[in-house]
Amino acid sequence: LGMHPDQAAGDICAFANARGLPWCLVPCCVYSDMFTKRRLKNGLKVTTHEQLILWLCENYPDARVATLDLEGKNKVVYTLAS
């Protein structure tokens, strides 16, 4: 579970996915200057919150997205147990 995980967003998903564990992430900051290799399938650099969510979904096809009932960054990206 990652709530506003900053730079750990991708690592949380990769760690859980590699072990077959479900994960849940509410991403906030993109840190595009730090993660310059993050690219969407169309080649665009990930620079926005929306692109970060799309990047997560592209890298983890089983991921789902839902909207939480709260203010601010409220998109949750998650997988379910198999």
Side-chain angles (χ1 to χ4, degrees):
L1 172 64
M3 182 73 167
H4 191 355
D6 289 337
Q7 295 97 324
D11 292 332
I12 289 170
C13 302
F15 180 89
N17 197 65
R19 288 157 180 79
L21 299 171
W23 50 267
C24 175
L25 186 74
V26 181
C28 187
C29 302
V30 178
Y31 290 95
S32 59
D33 291 339
M34 181 176 279
F35 296 102
T36 58
K37 293 183 181 177
R38 281 186 183 164
R39 302 278 174 175
L40 297 175
K41 287 187 177 182
N42 65 9
L44 288 176
K45 182 178 174 184
V46 175
T47 59
T48 68
H49 181 255
E50 292 78 16
Q51 289 174 329
L52 178 57
I53 291 171
L54 180 57
W55 179 81
L56 289 166
C57 292
E58 286 182 353
N59 282 279
Y60 302 99
D62 293 335
R64 302 176 185 191
V65 179
T67 303
L68 302 173
D69 187 20
L70 52 90
E71 293 183 29
K73 304 287 193 221
N74 61 353
K75 297 291 183 188
V76 59
V77 185
Y78 64 98
T79 60
L80 300 174
S82 21

